[in-house]
């Protein structure tokens, strides 16, 4: 799929397992979201749930994941590439993003809130964050800025002013 210069705003899904914003589908991989706004959506999987998707110059803001078990309010999936984008003011069991084997470059994660771990991001499986800012995020458990389950490479990144109720205000 390709979503270019599009606004996906104010959608709400009430059913268990439903998406409020964008999903690539259970068996799909890949796609592009460029120059778009994904805002004020709510559902059991937050704003964007897709494996292998590329977000470029896109704003993902003020979305809510209503699930109690897991997932991000902003972006969830594996093999995701986030480039020059903003993920801000999202909330869910995980705050801004839940990423596996993903790459982030030149992006900002700010003002996100997690009911569990990873206010800004919950990352795993050798993810890389380069030239990006993770700031002003909160988690009710661990990793106010970043909760790193497995390999994480931070390169020329700023992780500042995050807050966690348990361990790892910046990176756990």
């Amino acid at each position: 799929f390709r979503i270019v210069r599009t606004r996906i705003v104010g959608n709400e899904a009430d059913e268990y397992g439903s998406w409020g914003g964008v999903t690539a589908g259970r068996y799909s991989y890949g796609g592009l979201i460029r120059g778009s706004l994904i805002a004020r959506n709510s559902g059991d999987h937050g704003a964007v749930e897709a494996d292998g998707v590329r977000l470029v110059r896109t704003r993902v803001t003020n979305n809510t994941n209503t699930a109690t078990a897991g997932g991000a309010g902003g972006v969830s999936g594996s093999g995701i590439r986030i480039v020059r984008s903003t993920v801000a003011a999202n909330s869910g069991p995980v705050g801004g993003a839940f990423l596996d084997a993903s790459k982030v470059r030149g992006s900002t994660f700010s003002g996100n809130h997690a009911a569990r771990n990873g206010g800004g991001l919950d990352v795993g499986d050798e993810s890389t964050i380069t030239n990006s800012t993770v700031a002003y995020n909160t988690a009710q458990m661990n990793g106010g800025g970043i909760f790193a389950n497995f390999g994480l490479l931070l390169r020329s990144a700023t992780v500042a002013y995050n807050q966690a109720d348990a361990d790892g205000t910046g990176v756990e």
Side-chain angles (χ1 to χ4, degrees), residues 48-136:
V48 178
E49 174 91 17
D51 292 333
V53 71
R54 290 178 298 144
L55 273 78
V56 180
R57 293 185 178 130
T58 293
R59 291 185 46 83
V60 180
T61 63
N62 296 300
N63 297 285
T64 303
N65 178 334
T66 57
T68 56
V75 181
S76 294
S78 66
I80 293 177
R81 303 294 183 259
I82 300 175
V83 180
R84 294 185 302 273
S85 295
T86 299
V87 179
N90 299 288
S91 63
V94 174
F98 178 76
L99 306 174
D100 282 327
S102 297
K103 297 192 184 311
V104 175
R105 188 178 79 235
S107 296
T108 299
F109 293 80
S110 67
N112 298 292
H113 175 74
R116 294 186 179 181
N117 299 319
L121 298 104
D122 185 332
V123 297
D125 292 338
E126 305 302 323
S127 292
T128 302
I129 300 171
T130 306
N131 295 327
S132 296
T133 300
V134 180
Y136 301 103

